[in-house]
Amino acid sequence: MPAELSPIDKAKFAAARRAVDFVEDGMKVGLGTGSTAAWMVRCLGERVREEGLRIVGVPTSSRTADLARQIGISVVGLDEAKWLDLTIDGADEFDAQLQLIKGGGGALLQEKIVATASDRMIVITDASKEVVNLGAFPLPVEVVPFGWQTTRALIEEMLIATDVLGRQTTLRLNGTQPYITDEGNYIVDLHLNRIGNARALAVALNQIPGVVENGLFIDICDMVIIGGAEGQVELRDINAGTIAHERIDFADDENIFADLD
């Protein structure tokens, strides 16, 4: 592994490397979006190239689709795949119940659709993403552009009666213009600081006209793999109620990093 990788990237790599061990020949696999998920796609591509692993990937964004094709993973859409064996993705936050905040990369809608169309979801992350209460990371809410300011005002009104610590909302920008999702929508980020009842908030948000989806992933994740900079990994299985500790050997194999050049 190149020495110039930061400790956080080594932690992400360790989690990603362990997660792809759960992928078996013939599987249909949801491919997440974001920096940690990118490591997973590279690790999976290495298995495809070196082991002849036969899989079909369903990407959760155009960025992930481009990367998967670049490294030799067969890519199809969800309508073609229909149902998936496994989705592997990152998260912006997770708590002890493996409830998540996702969408920092702007792909929350496709990520949630793909994850819920899977038998199992594994989240790969580092220890910094674990929180006692969700909400320190801004909660993304995807909204349609038409009347988005009205939708934002309705969200702010709803938050008054919600168990949160903050109620500031901001339109996500790309430079000076609104950030546009793959579906052509906007994202409003909610700066809540702490979410008292994530399940109730997720339901309330999706009842507001103009809201397409929110970044709270409730009862979707089955396992979290937490990577460390020295190759240590912790596997938490919410269904089995187990926690396992392992170590990944950072081999001197540079193949996975060739595409970084």
Side-chain angles (χ1 to χ4, degrees):
M1 173 173 289
E4 64 269 17
L5 281 183
S6 68
I8 193 70
D9 277 333
K10 290 180 180 179
K12 292 177 179 180
F13 174 80
R17 174 69 83 182
R18 180 64 182 89
V20 299
D21 290 340
F22 288 93
V23 179
E24 301 175 3
D25 200 58
M27 275 189 169
K28 292 180 284 188
V29 183
L31 307 177
T33 295
S35 60
T36 309
W39 286 114
M40 175 272 300
V41 175
R42 293 182 183 280
C43 289
L44 199 52
E46 184 183 43
R47 287 196 62 194
V48 168
R49 293 190 302 270
E50 299 193 357
E51 301 175 22
L53 183 72
R54 295 170 300 169
I55 62 166
V56 172
V58 175
T60 56
S61 68
S62 56
R63 302 189 303 279
T64 296
D66 290 343
L67 175 61
R69 293 189 185 98
Q70 176 186 339
I71 60 180
I73 296 176
S74 177
V75 169
V76 300
L78 183 58
D79 285 338
E80 181 176 345
K82 293 184 172 60
W83 195 261
L84 310 182
D85 299 287
L86 173 66
T87 287
I88 306 176
D89 204 347
D92 299 302
E93 280 186 350
F94 71 96
D95 65 13
Q97 290 73 46
L98 305 195
Q99 315 293 28
L100 318 172
I101 285 182
K102 290 179 51 56
L108 64 103
L109 178 56
Q110 288 191 25
E111 287 173 337
K112 189 174 282 190
I113 292 172
V114 169
T116 54
S118 304
D119 287 335
R120 194 179 188 196
M121 181 190 192
I122 295 177
V123 163
I124 48 178
T125 184
D126 61 88
S128 70
K129 304 297 178 61
E130 183 172 12
V131 296
V132 175
N133 294 105
L134 297 176
F137 189 91
L139 174 63
V141 179
E142 186 160 339
V143 302
V144 296
F146 176 80
W148 75 267
Q149 294 188 59
T150 299
T151 302
R152 177 180 175 179
L154 290 171
I155 291 171
E156 292 173 344
E157 182 179 355
M158 180 273 294
L159 289 175
I160 294 173
T162 304
D163 184 10
V164 295
L165 287 184
R167 297 185 179 90
Q168 179 187 4
T169 67
T170 56
L171 178 68
R172 188 176 299 186
L173 299 178
N174 182 11
T176 60
Q177 299 300 312
Y179 175 89
I180 305 295
T181 69
D182 279 356
E183 291 74 34
N185 297 317
Y186 292 172
I187 289 181
V188 174
D189 288 310
L190 314 186
H191 304 267
L192 307 177
N193 300 322
R194 183 190 65 82
I195 299 171
N197 189 329
R199 188 184 307 275
L201 178 59
V203 172
L205 282 168
N206 282 6
Q207 290 178 337
I208 295 174
V211 169
V212 180
E213 190 52 82
N214 69 83
L216 287 165
F217 282 51
I218 307 299
D219 299 335
I220 296 175
C221 175
D222 298 284
M223 175 183 285
V224 165
I225 301 180
I226 307 166
E230 302 303 319
Q232 67 272 30
V233 292
E234 180 176 302
L235 295 82
R236 300 185 192 175
D237 189 320
I238 194 70
N239 300 312
T242 58
I243 299 176
H245 295 89
E246 301 176 3
R247 183 169 292 275
I248 300 298
D249 181 20
F250 288 152
D252 292 329
D253 185 350
E254 300 288 324
N255 291 341
I256 194 171
F257 304 100
D259 293 330
L260 295 175
D261 299 333

